[in-house]
Amino acid sequence: MKSAVETLNPTRVRLTVEVPFEELKDSLDAAYKKINQQVTVKGFRKGKIPARVIDQRFGRGAVLEEAVNDALPKFYTEAVNEAELSPLGQPEIDITELKDGDTLNFTAEVDIRPALEIPDYSGIEVEVDAIEVTDEDVDKSVEQLRERFASTSPVERAAEDGDVVTIDLTAKVDGEVLEDGVAEGVSYTIGSGELLDGIDEAVKGLSAGEEATFTSELKGGSAAGKESEVTVKVTQVAARELPELDDEFAQLASEFDTLDELKVDSRKRLTDMKQYDQATQAQERVLEKLLELVEVPVPEKLLEDEVNTRKHNLEHHQLGQMGLTLDKYLEIQGKTAEEFDTETRESAVKGIKTQFVLDELVKKENLGVNQEELTEHLMRRAASSGMSPDQFAQAVVEGGQVPLLVGEVARGKALAVVVEAATVKDTNGEVIDLDDEDEETTEVTETVEETPEA
């Protein structure tokens, strides 16, 4: 077999392959064997029909077609490996010449990973938000904890802001009660905004046994997005009582003996959260700077596939679970279809470029992934997917996705190398040391996890 490569553009090549006919022998034998098992010829046992009879009865062309279909993937792969290409997606193959007993010639056009030059990235500098935890932040955190330990008790009065009411709901559209439009015994905190628009105004001022009707757009169910006439009946009003902020509360709500110790711990937790956010911000901004340094051509077919995949996942999975259509989602977001398409395309371009650049860095820095790193990443991915580690691992193995996870970890390590070499300062001018933020760095690979592996 002989092959040659023609570069059509930085992300697409054409392979020209010439195969001597003798190299088709194994595929021809397999073709005769396959046809033997599929046809019946009087006077011959099944599977024992001579090749010459098959040629006479069914045509040599049918045998050649079967043999070529069997052989093409092997010869294409050999040509790709010989040229040391990294193909993306399936090739477009065209048989240019097939002479029985002589030769098979074909061409294959395919997108490839572009050759990238990673420049010196040690001079990257980024600025991030400074970490500041105020007394007000701590008080707010403690107050949120206090809210969780609030108790309720029924009261004989009209409902007010902050009360917990037990309600029955009936929703009508065009005067008809919806099949899924009746709910009884629903517990709702007035002012929480967790149910329908307009419900707070409707229930405030109502006592147990009283009802009101209001109009609201349904957020889910069979009539999601439609205007509905909703009747709400209050069956109970309960006042929320917050515990006193004292040492007794600290002992109830935490492992600490005093309120001061609880506040110290709250400050530490808030600081840890802000450090995490700061590290994530640093990594994202370093990545943006890195992408600015590298010229990355994007294969158009890969980009179109990625855009379509993102749209499909949003429309049929994420929005579908919320009972929303794409049009309704865009209305809520205040975006036009054109703006959505532009944003989706820009996001897809960034995802593809990120993967290409970080993969190139993995090769340049000779980064590997050990079992411990892979296991830690798998545990995090399992937690974010809502599956147990064993379930997630089984799904990954059965789906042949282990290389994808390895790639995610390797790209996280590549980004960590760049972040370590960069200068990161906060808005106060202080240099930030991110050496201990390895875990968070790995998480940044989520920006490219949605990009399909080549």
Side-chain angles (χ1 to χ4, degrees), residues 206-234:
L206 298 183
S207 299
E210 296 180 336
E211 64 180 45
T213 300
F214 64 100
T215 300
S216 183
E217 184 179 292
L218 298 179
K219 296 181 179 179
S222 61
K226 293 185 177 180
E227 287 292 320
S228 171
E229 182 183 84
V230 182
T231 300
V232 55
K233 180 179 180 180
V234 176

Side-chain angles (χ1 to χ4, degrees), residues 71-326:
L72 278 178
K74 181 186 70 171
F75 293 125
Y76 165 72
T77 301
E78 287 181 7
V80 165
N81 292 338
E82 185 177 286
E84 299 181 344
L85 300 175
S86 298
L88 301 169
Q90 296 300 314
E92 296 178 6
I93 293 181
D94 180 28
I95 298 174
T96 56
E97 186 177 21
L98 175 59
K99 290 184 179 179
D100 193 1
D102 187 7
T103 187
L104 163 66
N105 296 336
F106 69 91
T107 62
E109 288 191 19
V110 66
D111 288 330
I112 60 169
R113 281 178 176 267
L116 302 180
E117 287 292 331
I118 306 295
D120 179 19
Y121 47 78
S122 61
I124 290 178
E125 294 186 9
V126 298
E127 184 180 75
V128 296
D129 296 334
I131 295 175
E132 182 181 5
V133 177
T134 65
D135 291 342
E136 289 76 15
D137 293 332
V138 174
D139 291 342
K140 183 179 178 180
S141 175
V142 173
E143 187 63 28
Q144 289 173 342
L145 181 62
R146 186 185 180 204
E147 292 277 349
R148 289 169 50 193
F149 283 84
S151 59
T152 59
S153 57
V155 292
E156 298 295 329
R157 60 166 173 77
E160 301 173 354
D161 265 329
D163 285 343
V164 178
V165 290
T166 304
I167 55 178
D168 297 336
L169 295 165
T170 303
K172 294 181 181 180
V173 173
D174 298 329
E176 298 291 330
V177 177
L178 300 171
E179 289 186 9
D180 54 355
V182 177
E184 297 180 346
V186 177
S187 181
Y188 175 68
T189 301
I190 300 176
S192 65
E194 294 175 350
L195 281 179
L196 299 169
D197 293 337
I199 193 170
D200 289 336
E201 293 76 8
V203 297
K204 276 192 293 187
L206 298 183
S207 299
E210 296 180 336
E211 64 180 45
T213 300
F214 64 100
T215 300
S216 183
E217 184 179 292
L218 298 179
K219 296 181 179 179
S222 61
K226 293 185 177 180
E227 287 292 320
S228 171
E229 182 183 84
V230 182
T231 300
V232 55
K233 180 179 180 180
V234 176
T235 60
Q236 183 186 78
V237 179
R240 299 177 73 248
E241 298 176 0
L242 296 173
E244 292 294 328
L245 277 178
D246 52 23
D247 292 346
E248 186 175 338
F249 166 70
Q251 294 165 17
L252 170 68
S254 70
E255 69 271 30
F256 302 105
D257 294 327
T258 68
L259 182 60
D260 287 341
E261 289 175 333
L262 174 59
K263 288 185 175 182
V264 169
D265 181 70
S266 294
R267 186 179 295 275
K268 180 181 182 303
R269 291 175 184 272
L270 289 171
T271 301
D272 290 344
M273 290 173 58
K274 287 180 178 288
Q275 284 177 337
Y276 177 90
D277 292 341
Q278 186 187 63
T280 301
Q281 187 181 62
Q283 292 149 4
E284 290 173 349
R285 292 183 178 179
V286 167
L287 177 59
E288 289 173 1
K289 290 282 189 178
L290 177 64
L291 294 181
E292 292 174 3
L293 294 176
V294 187
E295 183 68 30
V296 186
V298 176
E300 191 60 33
K301 179 65 166 58
L302 179 65
L303 176 57
E304 292 305 319
D305 289 345
E306 175 65 3
V307 168
N308 292 334
T309 297
R310 292 184 181 220
K311 287 182 178 178
H312 178 85
N313 288 341
L314 174 66
E315 188 169 3
H316 298 282
H317 297 295
Q318 295 164 265
L319 297 182
Q321 292 176 356
M322 295 186 289
L324 293 175
T325 64
L326 180 58

